[in-house]
Structures are given as C-alpha cells and as structure tokens.
Amino acid sequence: MASIGIVGAGTSGLHLGLKLLSHGVPVTVYAEQDPEKLRAGRLPNTVAHHSPTRARERELDVDHWGGPHADIQYMGIHVNGPQSLSMRGRLEKPSIFVDYRLYQPKLAEDFVARGGRLEVLPVDGAVLEGLSLKHALVVVATGRNGLTSLFPRIPELSPHTKPARLLFAALLKGVQMQDPLGMNAHLVPGQGEIFEAQIVSRQGRVPSILIEALPGSDMAVLGTRRYDEDPRAYEALLLDALRRFAPATYERVNPAEFGVLSPMDWLQGAFTPVVRRAWAPLSNGRFVMAVGDTHVTNDPVAGQGANAASASAFALAARILDALGRERPFDEAFCRAAEEKMWAAVAPATNWTNTLLQPPPPHVVDVLAAGSQEQRVADGIANAFMLPENILSAFASPESAAAFIAQQRSPAREPLPPEALAWHPLPGEAVAPMARVR
Ligand SMILES: Cc1cc2nc3c(=O)[nH]c(=O)nc-3n(C[C@H](O)[C@H](O)[C@H](O)COP(=O)(O)OP(=O)(O)OC[C@H]3O[C@@H](n4cnc5c(N)ncnc54)[C@H](O)[C@@H]3O)c2cc1C
C-alpha cells in the first residue's frame, strides 16, 4: 500500500500518524531528534488539551495521563483592572495539562509499538524533495520554526506582522495548588494575561505559569529581561507581577520557596501569529502538505494551538484516507480540497485567539460581569472558553451575549453538584503541603 511520510514528531505529526496507522496505512515519521533528547530537554510550552482533543486521544488510545488526579475541573477568570471581577466556572468536560517532554516521546513510542516507522532525520529542503519520491504524500509537521518558508503567508488571514505578546512560561515551586484542580486566567487590561495551571510533569503534578505580556507594558519586562541572566532577580520581578496583576494566584505563593522548579523548566520568547498556505509544490513536480503550527501558528493566549493542530491532523487524515480509498492522486486538487477542510477545522481557534488578543468590547465585559455574579453563567463561560465555536458565537454581538447569559440562567441547565469536584492525589503525592484553597 502507498505510504505516507510525516516530517516532525510533534502533536500534529503524531496524531496524524497514529490516525493513519489505525486505518492500516503505512506511515514513516521523520523526527528531528531522538525522543529521549526531548525528554531531557528544555520546557517547550505549557499546553492544555481540551475536551475535543481529549476525545481524539481516547480514540487513538493515547490518553495515558487523564483521570481525576490530573483533570482540570474548573477555570477561574479574573479581570484585574480598574473594574475588577472574578469568577470560577466548573468544566463539564475537563481539560488536562501534560508536559510535552512526557507527552510527545510517549506518543512516539506508541506510534512505533503500533507498527509505525520512526527515523531520526532532520529534514531540509533537499531531503524533503527526496522523501517526496519515496512516499505517496509527505506532510510537513515541523512546528512554527521548521520548514515554514515553503508555505507562503496568507496576508488576509494573518492580521499580525509582529508578536502580539512577549512570553514567559515555567514550571514553578512555592505555589500551593488549588483543590479541586483548576486553572486561572488573569486578564489585565493594558498589561496582558497571566495563566496559572497545574501540569503533569516528570516531577509529578506541579504548578505552571504562562505570562503573556503586551509589548511596552510594565509586564513586558518579563519578556525583555532574560531569566538566565539573573534567575533570582527575575523571580523577584515575576513575584511582583503576580502580586500586582494576579492576586488570586499570589495569595497562594510562599515567597521564601517561590521560583522556577529546575533550570530546564522555563521558556522565554515571542513569535508572530500567522496563517500559511497548507500546501506547496516542489521543484520535482510533487506536492507537500503542512499541518499544525507549520500551517497555522496561533498565539498561546487562548490555549488553542495544539488543539487546533490535532483537529487539523484528523481533518487531513480523513482526506488522505478518502484519496487512498478512491485511488486519487495527491495532486494540487487534493491539496486545495484538503486545505479547505483543515482551515475549517482550525479557523475558529485562530479567530478566538485573535479576538482574545484585543481589548474586550463592552458586551463581553457584561458577560464576564454576569459570570462573576451567577454560578450558572460562570460555568457556561468556563465551558465555552475552551471551545472556540461556542465562545465566538456567545461574544459575537451584544444580542448574542445577552442570549448566552439568558441561556445559562435557564433552569434547564442544572449546575454541577459539588461532589463532582474533588481532590485526588497522584500516587505517592503528598497532600499535606497543598492546603485546600477554595
Ligand atoms: C508557552 C506556550 C504555551 C502554549 N499553550 C498551549 C495550550 O495551552 N494549548 C494549546 O493547544 N497549544 C498551546 N501552545 C501551542 C502548542 O505548543 C503548539 O500549537 C503545538 O505544539 C503545535 O504542534 P505541532 O505538531 O504543529 O508542532 P510541535 O509540537 O512544535 O512539533 C514540531 C516537531 O517537528 C520537529 N521538527 C522541527 N523541524 C524539523 C525538521 N527540520 N526535521 C524534522 N523534524 C523537525 C520538532 O523537533 C518537533 O518535534 C503553546 C505554545 C507555547 C509556546
């Protein structure tokens, strides 16, 4: 049978590869590095997988970390500005954070155990041309930094020409985790956003932080000042930012113990969100497709990049399976049709991300204000926040915002019972240091 080549062993490449393998298609993944190297490397991100991605993971039988001890059961949203407000909504379908240094190597092992071929081969343009002759189709899944220049930027879908935020992400110590497990989004007008969560890491479950600083703001110092130049001084700045802009997190900090968990557990940088064409012709007449961040790079502010990458991988897999089944060529017509389906799968995530990067209009503030006063509305917001289609339709206009609030208030929507939320220690995890904060 015709084989498919995938360049890049990240989330999009592995979800695509595992999905094709499950249909009996021979797949080779070309990985830049041995999965072991990734395990020992620097924190690459702090990724939340939401319920649609988790459903795909169950379908692929790679949901190795889920369970009551790891599932994120609620989301706190705090607007910390002149008009402060706070809410905590309960997630009907929990999200999960797993350190990608655990996640991606484990999925690469699953891929091999199920008959996939994994070759360690950093691929450049010349190598790609060669691979395109070996496989019926080669898909480029090299993330936002690899081989992207093959795929032209689409200006009308890419409103950003420079980074919208300066980023700092880290695993932390000295922050009490919340009970039940939750995440907090601090939205700080004029400054950016601070996200605090709990992530399954090789050290067990630990607190994590993502700073999204607006360039030019006070908080931007966390993006412009290098952490490794003076870690202690940087941690003092970080602590001060939590005190000023994220009080619901700061109240659980023990300043004497606070800091980055270990020297490889931080990441700093900035990148420009972009939508690229999802296919490219090669000089040998073959066509290659792009998936994941190589196709669409979103800012992490909405926690959607990997979720969209997975959705897009499944959309592309469906097109590949269809073409193989009907013995159709992987030509330009295939690429255009596949791109349309992939964009349909990821466009809501991109639109939601770009919306969140802008100051909220008054009707969105009204929805958040209603959520701060009524638990049912808070639950509705938290659940919609993870699902771009739902939140975009709620926030689309003053009328849709009012309809969303009314729908959440409807008695037909029962709030979740309190016993649905509970603290479940990981095996061997000490519960004592994590005071039960409600
Ligand atoms: C701080 C931060 C927080 C984030 N939080 C979230 C979140 O909460 N939720 C969410 O959904 N997304 C989040 N994201 C985005 C998410 O990390 C990406 O969208 C996702 O990892 C994209 O998957 P991918 O497979 O396209 O690329 P990657 O996961 O980056 O994988 C690309 C792979 O290709 C390999 N590669 C690169 N070049 C080559 C080459 N030349 N040859 C062979 N292999 C190559 C790389 O080694 C890597 O293994 C976050 C990102 C950051 C930076």
Side-chain angles (χ1 to χ4, degrees), residues 296 298 308 341-353 388-389 392:
V296 178
N298 287 313
K341 298 287 182 195
M342 291 160 73
W343 177 239
V346 304
T350 300
N351 295 338
W352 168 222
T353 301
E389 291 89 344
L392 283 170

Side-chain angles (χ1 to χ4, degrees), residues 7-13 30-32 44-48 100 104 121-123 141-144 146 169 210 267 292-293 300 303-307 309:
V7 183
T11 300
S12 61
Y30 300 93
E32 190 177 28
N45 44 37
T46 48
V47 171
Y100 265 19
Q104 291 183 339
L121 179 68
V123 174
T142 48
R144 65 179 183 275
L210 169 61
L267 170 78
D293 276 13
Q304 289 296 335
N307 290 282

Side-chain angles (χ1 to χ4, degrees), residues 301-327:
V301 72
Q304 289 296 335
N307 290 282
S310 164
S312 186
F314 267 49
L316 177 57
R319 300 313 303 164
I320 292 173
L321 292 169
D322 177 70
L324 289 174
R326 295 195 295 130
E327 298 188 358

Side-chain angles (χ1 to χ4, degrees), residues 5-64:
I6 299 172
V7 183
T11 300
S12 61
L14 290 166
H15 281 203
L16 174 64
L18 285 159
K19 177 73 176 166
L20 293 174
L21 270 189
S22 72
H23 287 264
V25 178
V27 185
T28 302
V29 167
Y30 300 93
E32 190 177 28
Q33 57 186 348
D34 192 276
E36 278 311 314
K37 260 197 170 163
L38 177 59
R39 279 200 171 103
R42 171 176 301 287
L43 180 76
N45 44 37
T46 48
V47 171
H49 285 185
H50 306 307
S51 59
T53 302
R54 301 196 66 193
R56 285 187 289 274
E57 289 169 335
R58 285 191 290 278
E59 185 188 324
L60 295 175
D61 194 17
V62 296
D63 180 18
H64 301 297

Side-chain angles (χ1 to χ4, degrees), residues 378-394:
D379 292 348
I381 295 170
N383 285 296
F385 205 90
M386 313 301 181
L387 303 174
E389 291 89 344
N390 294 5
I391 196 81
L392 283 170
S393 68

